Amino acid sequence: MITGNFKTSYAADESLWNNWAKRYGFVLAVVFLLVLPLFADNYVLLLAGQIAIYVIAVTGVNVLVGYTGLMSLGHGAFFAVGAYTTVILHQYVEHLFPLITLLVSIVVAAGFGFLFGLPSLRVKGLYLAVATLSANFIILFFIRQDWAAPWTGGRQGIETPNAMFFGQEMLSNTQKYYFIIPICLAMVLFAQNLFRTRFGRALIGIRDNDHSAEILGISLYAYKLKSFAISAAYCGAAGSLWAYFFPAILPEDFSLNLSITLVVCLIAGGMGRTLGPVFGTLLILLIPEMLKIVSGWATGGDGRALIHFSSIRDIVFGLIIILFLIFEPMGLVSIWDRFWRVVARWPFSK
């Protein structure tokens, strides 16, 4: 019986794409993303850009929750920090190069993540999740204040700038799409490689057994704070891209609902896996769109019927998520793994 993948060298074992399915799958995914704007309309590109931004943010949550084992319900606030940092920077330098604002937003969000990660030094589990809620309430409280309105727009929100590359302003969804997708791929690959390093393995050790990790010489304080900072930095990058992708932002865009959505995407996709955020985001963001299409077909486009059907659509969406988590608690990535294990071992799969 075949029970593993045969490797003949350390290089083969350490390879990022250590089998043909991963290699060709990555190539096909890149090709598909490159040619998508050629046959997709503006709505599809808008949805694709939104999914890519969410993938970045959920990957950041995965760094903290999936790999380090620390729960957080405050990452929507770090998302907001990245978005508003980008807007404020453009108020002082109008045609600032977007990659510069992206890096600054990452650094600022990482600083906030370090600050709000301090409770992780004393509490964990459900207590830490409750403690991180303060990030949402505190940051959004300051954003909504009248004295901050010249920079944040206050409760009314604020218009966002358009990214400019070498004097060319990005206005169409296609241009914005080609700006966001390479950044998304780069950040997902960075996360994949991060956990193949000594630092990443230390975070996994803390997740599995923090007391044993400390005995082995891993500083829990230092690594937990760094994990919070990296995780917040990812959400800051997502927020910066969000500000470039949409014409305006509101404080309500980054409420507690966003933080919960990011965690739900991770759980549905699979925690502690690189593809988990990708699969989870696709599931959570595409199911409402599919239900919207079904409701439109079922009601024949009648406006009154759609209003009554919308509540049913929300109930169906909730039931799908609950049933999915009951029958597939390891997430979509476990289904993906089982499928490729069968393919790799054929005809001895059974």
Side-chain angles (χ1 to χ4, degrees):
M1 178 183 294
I2 298 178
T3 58
N5 294 314
F6 181 67
K7 306 288 173 42
T8 58
S9 66
Y10 285 110
D13 190 48
E14 294 177 355
S15 174
L16 183 61
W17 294 286
N18 51 20
N19 61 58
W20 65 268
K22 292 182 180 180
R23 286 193 296 270
Y24 293 115
F26 178 76
V27 172
L28 288 175
V30 171
V31 171
F32 172 77
L33 292 174
L34 287 175
V35 302
L36 178 62
L38 300 179
F39 56 85
D41 57 21
N42 279 331
Y43 181 75
V44 172
L45 292 178
L46 182 70
L47 184 60
Q50 184 179 356
I51 289 173
I53 293 172
Y54 265 80
V55 166
I56 295 173
V58 178
T59 299
V61 177
N62 193 30
V63 171
L64 185 69
V65 179
Y67 284 103
T68 316
L70 302 175
M71 178 55 69
S72 172
L73 294 176
H75 274 64
F78 306 136
F79 204 115
V81 168
Y84 280 99
T85 298
T86 296
V87 172
I88 293 171
L89 286 172
H90 276 276
Q91 291 176 355
Y92 291 97
V93 184
E94 184 177 358
H95 299 304
L96 192 62
F97 193 61
L99 294 182
I100 295 177
T101 59
L102 178 67
L103 292 175
V104 174
S105 299
I106 287 173
V107 173
V108 173
F112 275 90
F114 185 90
L115 176 64
F116 285 99
L118 291 174
S120 68
L121 307 182
R122 294 295 181 184
V123 296
K124 58 183 178 179
L126 182 61
Y127 298 99
L128 179 59
V130 174
T132 54
L133 285 174
S134 62
N136 268 103
F137 298 122
I138 293 174
I139 291 177
L140 291 183
F141 171 79
F142 283 111
I143 289 174
R144 292 190 179 104
Q145 295 307 299
D146 292 336
W147 57 264
W151 299 282
T152 66
R155 296 178 180 273
Q156 288 71 38
I158 191 170
E159 293 184 359
T160 57
N162 291 317
M164 293 192 67
F165 276 96
F166 308 107
Q168 178 65 37
E169 192 173 18
M170 292 194 303
L171 298 174
S172 68
N173 286 336
T174 301
Q175 292 172 318
K176 295 176 180 179
Y177 171 86
Y178 280 124
F179 171 54
I180 291 171
I181 291 300
I183 296 174
C184 176
L185 290 174
M187 298 196 77
V188 170
L189 289 176
F190 177 83
Q192 167 71 10
N193 281 283
L194 177 66
F195 295 98
R196 292 149 50 84
T197 65
R198 181 177 180 181
F199 174 82
R201 295 184 186 280
L203 296 183
I204 295 173
I206 293 173
R207 177 196 65 188
D208 292 341
N209 194 316
D210 54 353
H211 296 296
S212 297
E214 191 172 24
I215 292 172
L216 293 173
I218 297 173
S219 173
L220 299 185
Y221 294 165
Y223 280 92
K224 284 182 178 181
L225 289 178
K226 290 177 182 177
S227 178
F228 255 100
I230 294 172
S231 182
Y234 267 78
C235 288
S240 179
L241 296 175
W242 187 273
Y244 283 128
F245 196 67
F246 292 96
I249 54 175
L250 296 166
E252 287 71 22
D253 295 337
F254 313 103
S255 63
L256 179 60
N257 183 58
L258 174 60
S259 298
I260 295 175
T261 300
L262 296 178
V263 175
V264 170
C265 287
L266 178 61
I267 294 174
M271 294 189 292
R273 299 293 302 276
T274 304
L275 289 178
V278 178
F279 290 152
T281 302
L282 287 171
L283 176 71
I284 299 303
L285 294 189
L286 289 182
I287 282 182
E289 297 298 324
M290 296 180 192
L291 292 176
K292 189 185 301 182
I293 295 173
V294 172
S295 63
W297 172 80
T299 59
D302 184 15
R304 293 181 180 179
L306 280 173
I307 294 175
H308 296 293
F309 201 86
S310 62
S311 58
I312 300 176
R313 187 177 63 209
D314 294 338
I315 294 173
V316 172
F317 176 65
L319 287 175
I320 290 174
I321 299 303
I322 292 172
L323 292 174
F324 183 82
L325 296 179
I326 291 175
F327 293 104
E328 197 57 66
M330 298 303 293
L332 279 172
V333 74
S334 65
I335 300 176
W336 178 261
D337 287 342
R338 289 200 299 270
F339 170 77
W340 284 111
R341 279 199 296 269
V342 171
V343 172
R345 289 161 178 76
W346 186 87
F348 303 102
S349 305
K350 298 180 181 181

